[in-house]
Amino acid sequence: MSPKLIKELRETTGAGMMDCKKALIESDSDPEKAAEWLRKKGMISAGKKSGRVTAEGLVGSYIHTGGRVGVLVEVNCETDFVARREEFQELVRNVAMQIAACPNVEYVSVDEVDKDFIKKEKSIEMGREDLANKPENIRETIVEGRISKRLKEITLLDQPYIKDQSITVEELVKQTIAKIGENIQVRRFSRFVLGEGIEKEESNFAEEVAAQAGQK
């Protein structure tokens, strides 16, 4: 893939470098088809807006059927006007629903993952028996791949979108950015599971029945 072609597509569309590269691969290096691919994915112009301040937005919620799982999520945009738009509110609802469906997700993005956690995971992977006889450089490459996969499993933006598995949550956000014309950031979230962390008392059923029988 020509770096020049990627650079030109990036300049004309405002999409990220990796997105442009993927678009050209998907379009057999045809710039027009690549731009159309980016437009369909909602990535055009999203890159240009990524550095703009997001101080408005909404705190959204989702309670799963039965009331056993609940989510609060803060999604930010640039203006109160956009926060009131149906497209933005729908995004917030969908992101909250995504979090409810992903019990392993702990962070919004890879950038937020604790460095000590990554260091510990790397140490564990480097010590696995299946890598013991491999050269150091090969071990490093394999471990980096495993760590990258692990981090994607626990970060919200890297999750396949539950309503359309062909895109990630990050791509869903970019599509909305392109649609409404403002930067959008998923800032933080909390997931609540009924009874989580509570030590439940284990009762002896036989003793319970015997006690009740003795009362009669």
Side-chain angles (χ1 to χ4, degrees):
M1 184 59 60
S2 166
K4 182 181 178 183
L5 202 57
I6 296 172
K7 183 174 180 291
E8 289 174 352
L9 183 63
R10 187 179 183 185
E11 289 174 351
T12 56
T13 63
M17 183 178 70
M18 295 307 296
D19 292 332
C20 289
K21 182 178 180 180
K22 186 175 180 181
L24 287 165
I25 291 172
E26 295 288 334
S27 309
D28 296 322
S29 299
D30 185 318
E32 290 187 9
K33 289 182 180 179
E36 184 178 345
W37 186 91
L38 287 168
R39 188 174 295 109
K40 287 179 180 178
K41 293 290 184 179
M43 295 176 183
I44 288 182
S45 80
K48 292 182 178 178
K49 297 178 175 64
S50 62
R52 284 160 41 173
V53 176
T54 53
E56 297 293 337
L58 290 174
V59 173
S61 63
Y62 173 77
I63 307 297
H64 191 58
T65 305
R68 303 189 67 85
V69 177
V71 168
L72 284 175
V73 60
E74 179 180 345
V75 183
N76 299 133
C77 57
E78 296 177 43
T79 65
D80 183 56
F81 171 76
V82 162
R84 295 195 301 269
R85 284 181 58 168
E86 177 58 32
E87 298 96 323
F88 183 80
Q89 294 177 6
E90 182 180 4
L91 173 68
V92 175
R93 287 194 294 271
N94 287 333
V95 170
M97 190 182 299
Q98 178 82 36
I99 296 165
C102 299
N104 294 326
V105 166
E106 300 176 41
Y107 304 91
V108 173
S109 67
V110 172
D111 294 337
E112 293 184 358
V113 180
D114 185 75
K115 297 298 185 292
D116 289 337
F117 171 82
I118 298 175
K119 185 177 179 180
K120 182 180 178 181
E121 288 292 310
K122 185 173 182 178
S123 176
I124 292 171
E125 291 297 337
M126 288 294 284
R128 292 197 182 278
E129 292 183 3
D130 63 333
L131 301 180
N133 297 322
K134 296 186 182 296
E136 183 71 20
N137 62 325
I138 299 298
R139 288 171 62 199
E140 286 281 352
T141 301
I142 294 173
V143 168
E144 288 298 327
R146 290 179 179 179
I147 295 298
S148 176
K149 181 181 178 182
R150 172 72 176 126
L151 294 180
K152 287 182 178 180
E153 290 173 352
I154 61 173
T155 51
L156 174 64
L157 295 181
D158 287 303
Q159 299 301 304
Y161 177 41
I162 54 173
K163 291 185 177 181
D164 181 359
Q165 297 284 307
S166 69
I167 64 172
T168 63
V169 175
E170 182 174 23
E171 289 170 331
L172 172 68
V173 173
K174 286 182 177 179
Q175 288 179 5
T176 310
I177 291 172
K179 186 183 296 182
I180 68 177
E182 281 194 10
N183 188 20
I184 296 172
Q185 299 287 332
V186 180
R187 186 182 175 209
R188 54 184 172 173
F189 65 86
S190 292
R191 189 174 187 274
F192 302 88
V193 178
L194 184 67
E196 188 175 43
I198 299 175
E199 291 187 13
K200 298 179 182 178
E201 184 179 349
E202 298 291 338
S203 59
N204 187 310
F205 183 67
E207 289 181 0
E208 201 174 298
V209 172
Q212 290 178 359
Q215 291 174 359
K216 293 181 180 180

